[in-house]
């Protein structure tokens, strides 16, 4: 076992604090990654505070990991010491079920091993995430980071990037489509950049009027403040696709009414449940759907797409000692637009 410094939540009520974890010695197919940066996703907060009721403590969050390969197992084919690599939201899966065979490992029928707050394939050993100095991962669950991407700004691509790229692709968003992104946070700001990269006409729907200039600078074509109920009347039937990234409870029915006939509202935010009415769906043959991160193949495709289009996250780099403050600011929508931990602060 390799003793590894980390930050952990001891329970749902405690702030994150220094903690030491054991990383396994690398097996034949494992790579040991020296973590350089880890993004701070809102899911880290939901889980550290047990808001989904599934938390395993102590918990080391973090699934937007960028690092350098430090060591490789004997049978590792794809990676060499010194490679710049990423690890996203899962570190293993059964590899045999239909989802795994389709490259949609996040939907593994036996349950993927998520990067933290989950179990290894033995069903027992807890997984610990990227708020730590190194991680040991099977080589098939590691991503290549294209050379042109700045490493701190690439970290959020591993969750925020793929979570927004995947539904844009899976639901067939095309150049010129009038689409909207709800919530301009970590996911939302990536959705704007990626959808613009695909040529869509992008409107941001935000409850923070002060984000307007940023939204336009990020590439959005239009910005609507959702605090005034009148905007839901004025913009009814306007969008072919809406990506909802909001982390707090809100009224989905209001957003459904902004869709054109046959339009789709895709949820990626995971707030408390909220009631859904039939009429906004029926009246325009509209659809509501969900999406969960993306598989390894699609994540690599997204990273390559970002390199090709010069896309990376807007980040505020922090030492890990400021993680609890970063959680509080994220909860207040006060992040421009992703906190990223510089792991040198823990070494
Ligand atoms: P974030 O950076 O905190 O952004 C969330 C945004 O939601 C905020 O910036 C804010 O945008 C909006 N918002 C927050 N509170 C609101 C409120 N009370 N009313 C209306 N809007 C509000 O979070 P994130 O990291 O992007 O994650 C967003 C959600 O996606 C979280 O629930 C997270 O767990 C989930 N998630 C899902 C997946 C998946 O695979 N499906 C992957 C990653 C994360 P404005 O200020 O512009 O309104
Ligand atoms: Zn995430
Ligand atoms: Zn599987």
């Amino acid at each position: 076992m390799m003793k590894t410094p980390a930050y952990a939540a001891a329970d749902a009520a405690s702030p994150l604090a220094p903690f030491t974890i054991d990383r396994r010695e690398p097996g034949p197919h494992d790579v040991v990654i020296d973590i350089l940066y880890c993004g701070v996703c809102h899911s880290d907060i939901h889980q550290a505070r047990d808001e989904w009721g599934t938390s395993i403590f102590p918990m080391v969050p973090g699934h937007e990991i960028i690092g350098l390969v430090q060591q490789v197992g004997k049978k590792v084919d794809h990676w060499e010491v010194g490679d710049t690599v990423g690890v996203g939201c899962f570190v293993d899966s059964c590899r045999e079920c239909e989802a795994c065979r389709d490259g949609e490992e996040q939907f593994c029928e036996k349950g993927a091993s998520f990067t933290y707050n989950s179990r290894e394939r033995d069903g027992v050993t807890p997984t610990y995430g990227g708020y730590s100095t190194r991680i040991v991962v099977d080589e098939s669950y590691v991503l290549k980071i294209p050379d042109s991407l700045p490493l701190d700004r690439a970290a959020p691509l591993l969750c925020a990037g793929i979570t927004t790229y995947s539904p844009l692709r899976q639901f067939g968003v095309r150049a010129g489509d009038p689409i909207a992104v709800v919530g301009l946070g970590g996911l939302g700001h990536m959705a704007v950049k990626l959808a613009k990269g695909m040529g869509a006409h992008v409107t941001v729907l935000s409850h923070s009027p002060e984000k307007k200039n940023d939204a336009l600078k990020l590439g959005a074509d239009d910005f609507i403040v959702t605090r005034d109920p009148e905007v839901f009347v004025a913009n009814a039937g306007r969008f072919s696709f809406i990506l909802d990234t909001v982390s707090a409870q809100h009224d989905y029915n209001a957003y459904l009414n902004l869709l054109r006939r046959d339009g789709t509202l895709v949820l990626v935010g995971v707030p408390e449940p909220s009631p859904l009415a039939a009429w906004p769906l029926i009246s325009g043959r509209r659809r509501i759907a969900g999406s969960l991160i993306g598989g390894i193949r699609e994540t690599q495709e997204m990273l390559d797409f970002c390199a090709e289009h010069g896309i990376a996250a807007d980040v505020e780099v922090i030492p890990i000692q400021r993680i609890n403050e970063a959680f509080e600011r994220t909860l207040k929508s006060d992040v421009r637009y992703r906190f990223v931990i510089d792991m040198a602060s823990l070494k």
Side-chain angles (χ1 to χ4, degrees):
M1 289 292 187
M2 302 188 287
K3 294 269 176 235
T4 303
Y7 260 55
D11 54 61
S14 301
L16 300 197
F19 184 68
T20 302
I21 52 176
D22 285 324
R23 292 295 192 190
R24 67 172 181 266
E25 292 292 339
H29 296 284
D30 284 336
V31 296
V32 181
I33 299 167
D34 170 22
I35 301 177
L36 300 176
Y37 296 104
C38 185
V40 179
C41 179
H42 205 116
S43 302
D44 300 349
I45 307 176
H46 287 307
Q47 292 175 90
R49 301 190 173 183
D50 199 13
E51 290 170 0
W52 298 340
T54 56
S55 293
I56 303 167
F57 292 105
M59 185 189 302
V60 176
H63 57 206
E64 293 184 336
I65 299 168
I66 295 277
L68 298 176
V69 174
Q70 203 172 40
Q71 200 184 329
V72 295
K74 284 197 184 68
K75 295 204 168 143
V76 166
D77 291 330
H78 291 98
W79 311 104
E80 287 177 12
V81 171
D83 285 350
T84 307
V85 294
V87 178
C89 298
F90 54 90
V91 288
D92 214 337
S93 65
C94 86
R95 306 165 196 228
E96 286 167 358
C97 73
E98 194 175 323
C100 285
R101 282 187 276 118
D102 286 348
E104 305 274 15
E105 301 89 349
Q106 72 278 26
F107 301 121
C108 175
E109 290 161 24
K110 303 228 170 83
S113 295
F114 291 95
T115 304
Y116 68 87
N117 191 27
S118 183
R119 306 277 180 195
E120 305 277 3
R121 298 322 293 163
D122 63 9
V124 180
T125 311
T127 56
Y128 294 118
Y131 295 7
S132 61
T133 58
R134 72 181 154 199
I135 189 166
V136 181
V137 183
D138 183 284
E139 66 164 334
S140 304
Y141 295 79
V142 172
L143 285 308
K144 177 170 174 43
I145 305 302
D147 290 338
S148 63
L149 293 177
L151 298 185
D152 50 352
R153 299 182 58 206
L157 302 179
L158 277 311
C159 175
I162 183 58
T163 300
T164 52
Y165 180 90
S166 181
L168 289 166
R169 284 289 190 229
Q170 300 292 338
F171 292 89
V173 170
R174 291 187 202 296
D177 285 357
I179 74 147
V181 173
V182 193
L184 196 64
L187 267 55
H189 96 290
M190 284 313 308
V192 171
K193 292 183 188 219
L194 291 165
K196 285 309 294 179
M198 296 173 194
H201 185 279
V202 182
T203 298
V204 170
L205 304 170
S206 169
H207 84 311
S208 306
E210 68 280 5
K211 291 183 183 172
K212 178 172 183 178
N213 285 341
D214 284 356
L216 301 179
K217 268 193 242 154
L218 289 165
D221 299 286
D222 199 359
F223 182 87
I224 295 171
V225 181
T226 52
R227 289 186 180 198
D228 176 5
E230 194 49 39
V231 301
F232 289 93
V233 179
N235 293 283
R238 187 171 156 187
F239 306 110
S240 59
F241 173 91
I242 301 177
L243 188 64
D244 186 338
T245 75
V246 173
S247 51
Q249 198 179 45
H250 58 293
D251 178 15
Y252 298 128
N253 305 303
Y255 291 91
L256 282 169
N257 281 320
L258 302 182
L259 288 170
R260 293 180 169 185
R261 174 166 53 84
D262 292 321
T264 306
L265 170 66
V266 176
L267 308 181
V268 286
V270 195
E272 294 292 307
S274 183
L276 196 57
W279 191 248
L281 290 165
I282 292 170
S283 60
R285 198 164 53 200
R286 299 176 178 117
R287 299 160 222 217
I288 187 161
S291 190
L292 178 70
I293 43 178
I296 292 290
R297 187 171 61 225
E298 196 172 45
T299 305
Q300 191 63 59
E301 178 187 307
M302 175 277 308
L303 289 164
D304 297 341
F305 178 90
C306 287
E308 191 185 321
H309 290 82
I311 293 173
D314 287 18
V315 301
E316 188 173 330
V317 177
I318 56 163
I320 200 160
Q321 292 76 14
R322 284 178 54 205
I323 185 63
N324 293 303
E325 178 194 333
F327 273 20
E328 290 309 323
R329 282 185 49 199
T330 301
L331 288 169
K332 288 186 214 139
S333 307
D334 175 23
V335 44
R336 303 287 186 273
Y337 277 86
R338 195 59 134 190
F339 286 110
V340 170
I341 304 164
D342 180 350
M343 218 51 72
S345 59
L346 194 57
K347 290 173 186 167

